[in-house]
Amino acid sequence: MAEILKGAPVAEALGEKMKRDVESLKDAGVTPTLAIVRVGEKGSDLAYEKGAVKRCESVGVAARRVTFPENVPQDELLAGIEALNAETGVHGVLILRPLPEHIDDETVRRTLAPKKDVDGITDGSLAAVMSGRGAGFYPCTAQACMEILDYYKIECKSARATVIGASLVVGLPTTVLLTNRFATVTNCHIFTKDVSTPARGAEILVSAAGKAGLVGKNHVSPGQIVIDVGINFTSEGKMVGDVSFDEVEPVVKAITPVPGGVGTVTTSVLVSHVVEAAVKSVTVADASVQE
Ligand code: NAD
């Protein structure tokens, strides 16, 4: 039987560290604050917003909802984001996406200040993934995968890893973060001719394709660590990952569950970025006072 790599203890460990940092910030008169920008009333956005607000409150981070109607003109939304960029009391900005079709996603991403980009969507954040430094933050889900590997003491160095999925949100940054930790990584995507061979040959397998049942018993081998990022819903409305859990779990060494795995850690990573942004803002303010 495989070890089940649950997200809750990982999120809890992140939460304990955050609480200590939040206390120090509050002693210095700073309340770390996240602004959540939502356009319209989409159910999935409302659910994510609710989860983020709850996680913020659990560690003493303030969360502010900034809402716009579904038909908001693009200029008005951009002006709202620019105002949040300029507001010193706001340390992080989460923009719930996808945005309505009349809004150009790239223009929105370019407008957000990388130092407040706690969700890791700006080019500044993607550059930080590549170089390990600079303004911006790692995309939360990619970092959540790494937090899980670290918490459960899974060695990346010299491991063969395969990542299924090549989006800027999850697949590519996870591929880079694993490479930066000296794993040897194969990336698979929709045009990969044979996913099962590199999947089976990996010691660490991450699936982030968004296809229920994509990873079955032909894609895994004994001793593997499987990180299932996928969030899919069956016709009965049940949430499942990319991995056929019942087929794969008896074969592999360890596996994240869905729900209760990567998703549980992702929101904690987001909030930890808000705390980090607040800490950086204090450090920058201190440095300019000393100049
Ligand atoms: P996306 O649609 O932007 O990208 C999917 C990627 O998977 C693409 O690179 C595509 O080429 C690849 N792909 C699709 N089908 C494939 C196949 N049959 N074989 C090989 N590659 C295939 O999706 P995304 O935003 O990267 O999200 C991926 C999944 O992760 C979704 O299920 C999403 O809901 C989930 N997700 C989970 C969390 C979390 O916190 N757990 C966060 C973000 C996204």
Side-chain angles (χ1 to χ4, degrees):
M1 258 185 36
E3 180 186 2
I4 306 301
L5 307 175
K6 289 190 180 158
V10 187
E12 206 171 298
L14 283 169
E16 286 312 311
K17 182 183 177 312
M18 276 189 263
K19 279 182 198 158
R20 289 195 295 275
D21 289 344
V22 170
E23 232 167 78
S24 312
L25 282 163
K26 286 192 174 165
D27 287 346
V30 175
T31 301
T33 300
L34 172 69
I36 306 174
V37 176
R38 170 166 52 80
V39 178
E41 304 280 328
K42 230 182 326 143
S44 54
D45 286 350
L46 289 165
Y48 193 59
E49 180 185 280
K50 193 172 160 197
V53 170
K54 200 169 147 199
R55 191 54 59 91
C56 281
E57 285 170 350
S58 72
V59 294
V61 169
R64 187 200 302 173
R65 294 175 173 87
V66 180
T67 58
F68 295 89
E70 178 79 21
N71 61 354
V72 62
Q74 177 164 306
D75 286 352
E76 207 175 295
L77 176 64
L78 298 181
I81 294 169
E82 274 162 5
L84 293 170
N85 285 344
E87 196 179 328
T88 48
V90 169
H91 303 97
V93 179
L94 166 67
I95 302 169
L96 299 176
R97 296 153 67 233
L99 292 159
E101 273 183 11
H102 69 282
I103 308 265
D104 181 46
D105 187 71
E106 198 181 329
T107 307
V108 169
R109 288 196 291 112
R110 286 220 185 112
T111 303
L112 179 61
K115 67 176 183 185
K116 297 197 178 184
D117 175 23
V118 288
D119 200 23
I121 63 168
T122 59
D123 289 350
S125 286
L126 293 177
V129 171
M130 295 299 286
S131 66
R133 56 183 180 269
F137 294 86
Y138 296 162
C140 299
T141 311
Q143 189 178 330
C145 294
M146 304 308 294
E147 297 287 352
I148 290 173
L149 293 172
D150 286 346
Y151 179 88
Y152 288 103
K153 302 200 181 341
I154 294 156
E155 179 68 273
C156 296
K157 195 172 175 180
S158 299
R160 285 185 312 277
T162 293
V163 177
I164 309 175
S167 72
L168 286 179
V169 184
V170 197
L172 274 186
T174 307
T175 300
V176 175
L177 291 179
L178 283 164
T179 305
N180 290 348
R181 299 283 290 276
F182 306 110
T184 301
V185 193
T186 302
N187 183 272
C188 300
H189 45 74
I190 193 75
F191 295 112
T192 301
K193 284 183 183 150
D194 169 24
V195 174
S196 65
T197 304
R200 217 171 28 242
E203 290 156 289
I204 299 171
L205 174 62
V206 179
S207 188
K211 291 274 177 299
L214 176 68
V215 176
K217 60 177 186 301
N218 291 334
H219 295 74
V220 293
S221 52
Q224 269 186 331
I225 311 295
V226 179
I227 308 288
D228 190 356
V229 181
I231 297 178
N232 311 288
F233 291 91
T234 65
S235 50
E236 292 84 38
K238 185 179 172 223
M239 189 199 278
V240 295
D242 289 351
V243 178
S244 294
F245 189 89
D246 294 345
E247 270 184 37
V248 166
E249 184 272 334
V251 179
V252 300
K253 184 176 177 197
I255 182 168
T256 58
V258 177
V262 179
T264 310
V265 182
T266 299
T267 340
S268 282
V269 170
L270 171 79
V271 182
S272 77
H273 288 171
V274 181
V275 177
E276 205 180 317
V279 170
K280 278 186 197 163
S281 76
V282 172
T283 317
V284 170
D286 284 352
S288 55
V289 167
Q290 281 164 20
E291 272 166 14

